[in-house]
Amino acid sequence: MKHEMDTVLTRREVLVRMASAIVVPGALAGFAAIKQLNTPVLNAVSNFNDEVQGTLFSPDRLAQSYESSEISKPFRYNGILPQAYVPKLDPNTWRLALSGQISHNAPLSLQTLRALPQHAQITRLICIEGWSAIGKWSGPLLQDVLMLIGADINAKYVSFECADGYFTSIDVSSALHSQTILALDFLDRPLTPEFGAPARLRIPTKLGFKNAKNIVALSITNEFPSGYWEKQGYNWFAGL
Amino acid sequence: MQFFFVEAALRWWFRLAHWGMAISTIGLILTGWDIYNAAPFFAFNVLEYFALDLGLTEALRWHFFLAWALIVTLSVLLFAKLSGLGGAGSLVPVNPRSVFKELYLVVQLRLDHKDAGYLHVQRLAYLLAYGAFVLTALSGFLIWKPVQFQFLDFAFNDYETARRVHFWGMSFLSLFFVVHLTMALVVPRSLTAMALGALPERKEQS
C-alpha cells in the first residue's frame, strides 16, 4: 500500500510540477526582458515619484534648523569637476542672466542681490549618495528675486545654468518656499568658488544636487528643463 | 462551496503577495547595498564584495520601483492576514523557556517539528523580523522625506540616525533570510508550503 502511494503523484505534486514548468521558463524570459524593459519601467516609476512628491510637498513645512555648534567642519566639497577645476568668476563683472516668463530681463549684479533682504539658515544638506552635512548659508529669498524680475509664478519650472556646464531645475512651488535662497554667503563669508561663488541655490527641501553652484543663468519656463544628473537617471523632483 | 472558491483565490493571492514581498525585499536589500556603497559610514565595508555593482543611479531607480512593489504586496498580505485567510499559525505567546529548550535541541540537531503551528523559537524569529521590517520601512520613509515626514523624528531623531536604523534593520533582515532559507532547505517539506501555501495535515500511514 505504502509502495503504491510513493509512485502515484498526489494532486499537490502535480501542481508543484506544473508550477515549476511555468515558473522556470518564465523567470528566464523575465530575466531576458528585464534589460529591455527596465528603462521605460523605471522611468515611469521615477515620473510617478515626481507626482507623489509634488503632492507630499507642503509650502509650510520647514526643514529643521540647527545651532552654530552643529555646523559640519570641514564641510565636504562636492561637484561635477575636481576642486582645482572649479570656475572662478569675477564677482564684479558677474551677472545673472535672465530669461523665460519674466517681465524684466536685465541681468542682475551681485550688488542688486545684496540689496535685497538677506536671510540666513543653518540647515542640513543631504546628498543623494546618502551623506549629509550641516552648513550656514545666507542670501536673498529666491521668491524675492523672482518677484523683483516679475517672474510668472504660474509657470511650472525654474531652471539654473552654472559656469561649469552643470544645470538643473526645480518646480515653482519649491522655488517659492520660505527656505529657498539664492545664497551669496557660506559660514558668514562670501561664497568661495568651490562652494558656489558668486551665487548658488540653497534649497533645504531638496537633495544636494539641486543646490546649483556658480550660477550664471536663471529661467522661468513651462518646458521641462531637466538637469545634468536628471538626464542620467536621477529622480527629477528630488524632494526631501 | 462558494466560500471555498473565495478562500482558494485569496490563498493564491496570499502566496503571490508572499513571493512579491520576498522578491522585492531581497531586491531592496541588494540595491540598498549599492546605495550604501556610494557613501559608507563604517570604515570596514563588507558590502563592497557582495553588492551588485549597478551604480548609484540604477540602484536608486530599482530601489524605488521595489519599494512601490513592496507597498502593494504588503497591502495584499495584510489584507489576507486580517481577513484570517493567510496565516499558518499564531505567533503568540512566546515562552522564553520553550525558546531556549528548542534552541538547545537545534544545536543538538534533535529538534523535531511535528506539531502544527509555529515553534516558540520560530515565533520569536518572525516577531523580530516583523519588528525589523517595520523599523527598516519607517526609517526608509524618513530617509526619503526628512522634511515632509519629519513627524517620524520622534522615532529616529534625525536623518543620520534613520540611515543607521535602516542599515541595522537591513542587516537583521538579511540574517533572517539566511536562516529562513536554511531552515526551509533543512526541512524540504516546508519548501512546498512556502511556494504553495500551508500544507494540509498529513494522514498517518500505517
Side-chain angles (χ1 to χ4, degrees):
Chain A
M1 192 63 189
K2 192 167 192 293
H3 185 76
E4 225 181 319
M5 278 295 286
D6 282 345
T7 48
V8 177
L9 292 179
T10 63
R11 196 173 70 103
R12 188 161 285 272
E13 279 162 339
V14 171
L15 275 175
V16 172
R17 281 169 200 210
M18 278 168 64
S20 37
I22 298 162
V23 168
V24 174
L28 289 175
F31 232 75
I34 241 169
K35 268 213 131 43
Q36 296 297 311
L37 287 175
N38 93 41
T39 308
V41 170
L42 297 182
N43 280 347
V45 172
S46 193
N47 293 340
F48 174 64
N49 279 341
D50 286 342
E51 298 295 321
V52 173
Q53 295 182 86
T55 314
L56 285 175
F57 174 79
S58 156
D60 306 319
R61 220 165 281 137
L62 298 180
Q64 194 185 337
S65 290
Y66 295 85
E67 302 296 323
S68 306
S69 59
E70 294 174 285
I71 292 173
S72 308
K73 286 168 189 161
F75 197 94
R76 182 172 173 167
Y77 165 76
N78 197 44
I80 56 166
L81 295 176
Q83 201 162 347
Y85 294 94
V86 169
K88 291 166 180 65
L89 306 171
D90 180 354
N92 299 312
T93 57
W94 176 85
R95 294 290 182 275
L96 179 63
L98 305 167
S99 62
Q101 294 178 228
I102 50 176
S103 35
H104 317 291
N105 50 14
L108 298 177
S109 71
L110 217 45
Q111 287 95 306
T112 316
L113 293 175
R114 289 227 178 254
L116 289 168
Q118 305 288 295
H119 293 256
Q121 60 172 274
I122 302 177
T123 48
R124 187 188 289 279
L125 183 130
I126 297 174
C127 180
I128 191 166
E129 292 176 342
W131 59 270
S132 76
I134 297 169
K136 182 178 183 181
W137 293 268
S138 37
L141 291 177
L142 184 60
Q143 56 170 305
D144 288 347
V145 178
L146 295 181
M147 229 50 89
L148 181 76
I149 62 177
D152 172 13
I153 58 164
N154 294 315
K156 286 185 184 161
Y157 313 105
V158 183
S159 74
F160 301 89
E161 274 172 54
C162 310
D164 57 2
Y166 188 79
F167 64 107
T168 191
S169 56
I170 58 173
D171 55 299
V172 167
S173 315
S174 298
L176 297 175
H177 188 270
S178 64
Q179 286 176 311
T180 305
I181 63 175
L182 204 57
L184 308 173
D185 294 332
F186 180 55
L187 307 176
D188 296 315
R189 306 181 113 156
L191 288 165
T192 53
E194 60 267 43
F195 291 110
R200 76 169 303 177
L201 182 66
R202 177 59 194 132
I203 177 162
T205 52
K206 287 199 190 283
L207 284 171
F209 74 92
K210 289 291 185 181
N211 294 249
K213 300 193 285 189
N214 322 104
I215 297 173
V216 291
L218 181 156
S219 180
I220 314 292
T221 175
N222 276 322
E223 263 170 69
F224 182 58
S226 193
Y228 180 89
W229 289 116
E230 293 87 332
K231 284 200 164 171
Q232 297 173 54
Y234 279 5
N235 171 257
W236 173 74
F237 195 92
L240 292 174
Chain B
M1 199 61 186
Q2 200 87 49
F3 185 71
F4 172 78
F5 285 118
V6 175
E7 191 175 323
L10 269 170
R11 235 175 223 296
W12 277 100
W13 272 106
F14 188 71
R15 276 304 99 189
L16 276 178
H18 168 266
W19 281 109
M21 190 177 123
I23 291 166
S24 18
T25 310
I26 291 166
L28 279 163
I29 289 173
L30 291 173
T31 51
W33 292 353
D34 265 358
I35 298 167
Y36 173 80
N37 285 341
F41 41 68
F42 294 120
F44 180 67
N45 182 15
V46 224
L47 297 183
E48 245 172 72
Y49 309 104
F50 293 106
L52 298 172
D53 277 332
L54 291 174
L56 177 64
T57 311
E58 276 303 276
L60 277 167
R61 283 156 66 84
W62 278 109
H63 204 70
F64 280 96
F65 168 78
L66 293 164
W68 284 114
L70 181 62
I71 288 171
V72 172
T73 51
L74 202 59
S75 315
V76 175
L77 218 54
L78 281 176
F79 175 75
K81 262 280 194 240
L82 292 176
S83 58
L85 292 165
S90 174
L91 291 177
V92 281
V94 182
N95 182 349
R97 282 185 63 188
S98 309
V99 170
F100 284 117
K101 210 176 92 190
E102 286 162 9
L103 276 176
Y104 184 60
L105 289 171
V106 168
V107 174
Q108 292 180 308
L109 295 173
R110 286 199 313 155
L111 186 71
D112 194 9
H113 186 181
K114 260 190 196 150
D115 311 328
Y118 291 122
L119 296 166
H120 286 254
V121 69
Q122 273 181 303
R123 293 180 191 180
L124 181 69
Y126 281 119
L127 288 173
L128 286 175
Y130 284 156
F133 199 88
V134 170
L135 279 181
T136 312
L138 285 181
S139 55
F141 275 107
L142 186 60
I143 294 170
W144 182 45
K145 292 267 155 223
V147 178
Q148 309 306 326
F149 291 162
Q150 55 188 282
F151 63 90
L152 289 170
D153 278 351
F154 84 92
F156 304 109
N157 186 43
D158 64 359
Y159 171 80
E160 286 293 343
T161 318
R163 266 185 91 200
R164 280 146 184 87
V165 172
H166 203 61
F167 182 89
W168 289 114
M170 172 282 292
S171 305
F172 184 86
L173 284 173
S174 308
L175 186 72
F176 173 82
F177 272 116
V178 171
V179 177
H180 187 53
L181 288 176
T182 311
M183 292 324 275
L185 289 172
V186 169
V187 190
R189 209 167 84 89
S190 61
L191 282 176
T192 2
M194 262 178 133
L196 299 168
L199 293 176
E201 288 294 303
R202 269 233 171 140
K203 280 182 193 136
E204 285 293 322
Q205 288 167 6
S206 48

